[in-house]
């Protein structure tokens, strides 16, 4: 029994060791196997839009690669995994699915057409039955109309008698209403003058309340502006003291140093090519040449620039660049920045400010 348990434990430990080894291998590949990139652009004679370009990003010794190509004003992309075109396989799979769905739809339409013919026959039979039932209903309705006509005649006679009785009633109610209206019209002059005075006082009070509310609103707005200005002043003083602190300055210089190093690491290691250009205005050609001269520290004068002062729009040339990016460079910079005491001080002070 113990021998069997030892074998099971040994088997589990072997599997865990293999998984840990694979995980360690993956981490080492991410850190020390570089991501390589390559880009090229070509412009021949023709319009300004007729530019052809190509870019390739690969990893794991070209085992994983992504290629993008710009040609005839169209972008084409392809993804390869150890030489297998994954995007083409996915497209073929989608086509197969669409074809299978189309065949299913055609079969469903044929079934629906067959069921439609059957339904049309049943509808014809039902329409005949409905016509027969409608004829029977018409006969029954005609018999009922005769009975209803006699009932309506008796109701009309009763209504005429009630109208005659109403006409002979006395007009006492109308007289009472006239007397009430006459009494309401007679009002004393004192009540009218009191109402006018009350309306004036109400109107004056309303105007006074409006003016008072306007002044109150202006006062509150001025108080709010004063508070906001005070807050802005306090924020500016805090930012000034925060940025001028020596530990903050040290943290800022450290971040800028590593950022420059990372940018230098990302930039292409090799650039070559030649470009010939010109504009209709020679002054524009001169300014473009001055701007391109500022890029010499990046490509180290490996791109030959040939300006032409012919007085026409012209562009022709080719450029090729390639480089590599290592993962451990980013990891090293992140660890140095994270464990720096000045960076921790900045983070702590920022948290206390937000709290």
């Amino acid at each position: 029994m113990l021998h069997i348990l030892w074998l099971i434990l040994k088997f589990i430990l072997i599997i865990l060791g293999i998984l840990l080894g694979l995980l360690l291998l993956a981490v080492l590949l991410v850190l020390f196997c570089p991501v390589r990139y390559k880009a090229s652009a070509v412009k021949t004679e023709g319009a300004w839009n007729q530019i052809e370009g190509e870019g390739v990003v690969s990893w794991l010794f070209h085992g994983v690669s992504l290629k993008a190509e710009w040609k005839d004003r169209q972008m084409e992309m392809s993804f390869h995994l150890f030489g297998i075109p994954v995007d083409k396989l996915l497209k073929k799979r989608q086509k197969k699915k669409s074809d299978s769905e189309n065949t299913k739809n055609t079969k469903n339409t044929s079934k629906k057409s067959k069921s439609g013919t059957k339904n049309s026959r049943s509808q014809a039979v039902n329409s005949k039955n409905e016509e027969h039932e409608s004829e029977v209903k018409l006969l029954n309705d005609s018999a009922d109309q005769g009975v209803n006509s006699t009932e309506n005649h008796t109701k009309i006679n009763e209504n005429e008698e009630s109208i005659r009785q109403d006409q002979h009633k006395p007009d006492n109610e109308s007289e009472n209403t006239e007397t009430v209206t006459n009494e309401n019209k007679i009002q004393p002059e004192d009540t009218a003058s009191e109402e006018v005075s009350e309306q004036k006082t109400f109107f004056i009070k309303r105007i006074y309340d409006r003016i008072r509310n306007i002044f109150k609103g202006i006062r509150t707005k001025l108080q709010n502006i004063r508070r906001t200005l005070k807050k802005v002043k306090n924020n500016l003083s805090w930012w000034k003291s925060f940025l001028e602190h020596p530990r903050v300055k040290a943290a800022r210089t450290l971040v800028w140093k590593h950022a420059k190093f990372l940018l230098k690491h990302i930039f292409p290691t090799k650039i070559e090519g030649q470009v010939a250009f010109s504009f209709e205005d020679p002054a524009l050609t001169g300014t473009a040449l001055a701007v391109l001269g500022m890029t010499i520290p990046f490509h180290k004068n490996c791109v030959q620039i040939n300006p032409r002062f012919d007085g026409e729009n012209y562009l022709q040339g080719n450029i090729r660049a390639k480089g590599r990016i290592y993962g451990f460079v980013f990891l090293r910079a992140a660890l140095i920045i994270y464990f720096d005491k000045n960076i921790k001080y900045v983070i702590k002070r920022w948290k206390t400010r937000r709290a």
Side-chain angles (χ1 to χ4, degrees), residues 127-334:
S127 63
K128 287 180 180 179
N129 292 324
E130 288 176 357
E131 288 176 357
H132 181 69
E133 289 177 357
S134 63
E135 289 176 357
V136 174
K137 284 182 181 179
L138 287 170
L139 292 171
N140 292 322
D141 291 334
S142 62
D144 293 331
Q145 284 176 0
V147 176
N148 291 322
S149 64
T150 57
E151 291 178 355
N152 291 323
H153 185 68
T154 56
K155 286 180 180 180
I156 290 163
N157 292 323
E158 290 177 355
N159 290 323
E160 288 177 355
E161 289 178 358
S162 65
I163 291 162
R164 287 174 185 175
Q165 290 176 1
D166 292 330
Q167 289 176 356
H168 294 289
K169 285 182 179 180
D171 297 332
N172 292 323
E173 294 178 357
S174 63
E175 289 177 357
N176 291 323
T177 56
E178 287 178 358
T179 57
V180 171
T181 54
N182 290 321
E183 289 177 355
N184 290 324
K185 286 180 181 178
I186 299 166
Q187 292 180 353
E189 293 179 355
D190 295 332
T191 57
S193 62
E194 286 177 358
E195 288 180 355
V196 171
S197 63
E198 286 177 357
Q199 288 178 359
K200 286 181 180 179
T201 54
F202 178 74
F203 183 70
I204 291 164
K205 189 177 180 182
R206 193 174 178 183
I207 291 168
Y208 176 73
D209 291 333
R210 278 191 180 178
I211 293 165
R212 189 176 65 181
N213 291 324
I214 289 165
F215 280 109
K216 280 184 179 179
I218 293 166
R219 187 179 176 184
T220 53
K221 285 181 180 178
L222 290 171
Q223 287 177 355
N224 291 324
I225 290 165
R226 188 179 177 185
R227 287 172 186 171
T228 53
L229 289 172
K230 193 174 180 180
K231 285 181 181 178
V232 170
K233 187 178 178 181
N234 291 327
N235 287 323
L236 288 171
S237 63
W238 185 86
W239 278 105
K240 187 178 179 182
S241 63
F242 176 73
L243 293 172
E244 289 179 354
H245 198 276
R247 297 189 73 176
V248 176
K249 287 181 179 179
R252 199 168 54 198
T253 53
L254 180 70
V255 171
W256 177 241
K257 179 183 175 182
H258 286 283
K260 285 196 293 184
F261 179 75
L262 290 174
L263 287 172
K264 188 177 179 182
H265 179 71
I266 291 167
F267 281 148
T269 56
K270 188 177 181 181
I271 300 174
E272 58 182 2
Q274 54 183 355
V275 177
F277 72 97
S278 68
F279 294 98
E280 290 182 357
D281 189 2
L284 288 174
T285 307
T287 53
L289 184 63
V291 172
L292 290 171
M294 295 168 66
T295 62
I296 290 173
F298 297 105
H299 56 80
K300 295 178 182 178
N301 206 14
C302 293
V303 179
Q304 296 179 2
I305 297 169
N306 301 316
R308 295 174 59 181
F309 297 92
D310 296 336
E312 62 178 359
N313 291 324
Y314 179 79
L315 178 64
Q316 188 176 358
N318 53 19
I319 296 172
R320 292 178 298 277
K322 61 181 180 178
R324 78 283 178 275
I325 300 167
Y326 285 96
F328 74 90
V329 176
F330 291 90
L331 182 65
R332 185 173 67 87

